[in-house]
């Protein structure tokens, strides 16, 4: 049986900064807490590119198979800034 899993619970965040990189790591989980996601966003000072990487972990006892993942859609129940005036 196919099960759709959504990262609906916000756990926390960590700012990331080095001499030439700035970013943020977002920790999320599904409603059960058994599937954890860490979404990494970062930019380098020398590149006009926003990088993103998503780590997925199954912390439950039942095995899961990840068939596909929509990493482009981000919704939030909190106010979101568009970054400009």
């Amino acid at each position: 049986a196919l099960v759709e899993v959504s990262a609906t619970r916000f756990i926390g965040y960590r700012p990331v900064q080095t001499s030439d990189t700035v970013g943020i790591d977002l920790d999320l989980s599904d409603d059960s807490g058994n599937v954890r996601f860490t979404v990494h966003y970062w930019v380098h000072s020398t590149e006009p590119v926003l990088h993103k990487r998503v780590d997925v972990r199954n912390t439950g006892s039942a095995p899961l198979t990840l068939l596909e993942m929509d990493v482009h859609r981000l919704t939030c129940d909190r106010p979101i800034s568009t970054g400009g005036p």
Side-chain angles (χ1 to χ4, degrees):
L2 294 177
V3 177
E4 184 171 322
V5 175
S6 297
T8 56
R9 292 181 44 214
F10 175 75
I11 297 171
Y13 71 95
R14 289 174 305 288
V16 177
Q17 187 170 359
T18 66
S19 61
D20 65 345
T21 303
V22 65
I24 190 166
D25 293 344
L26 303 172
D27 295 317
L28 310 163
S29 77
D30 68 338
D31 285 333
S32 72
N34 291 331
V35 181
R36 298 280 180 120
F37 306 86
T38 300
V39 183
H40 309 271
Y41 290 99
W42 72 94
V43 294
H44 295 281
S45 62
T46 59
E47 299 176 352
V49 177
L50 174 64
H51 299 270
K52 177 171 51 173
R53 185 182 85 224
V54 180
D55 299 331
V56 181
R57 292 174 309 284
N58 177 11
T59 59
S61 58
L64 296 173
T65 301
L66 180 63
L67 297 177
E68 67 179 58
M69 190 167 167
D70 180 0
V71 298
H72 300 292
R73 186 180 64 189
L74 176 64
T75 60
C76 184
D77 61 354
R78 309 266 192 235
I80 298 176
S81 169
T82 59

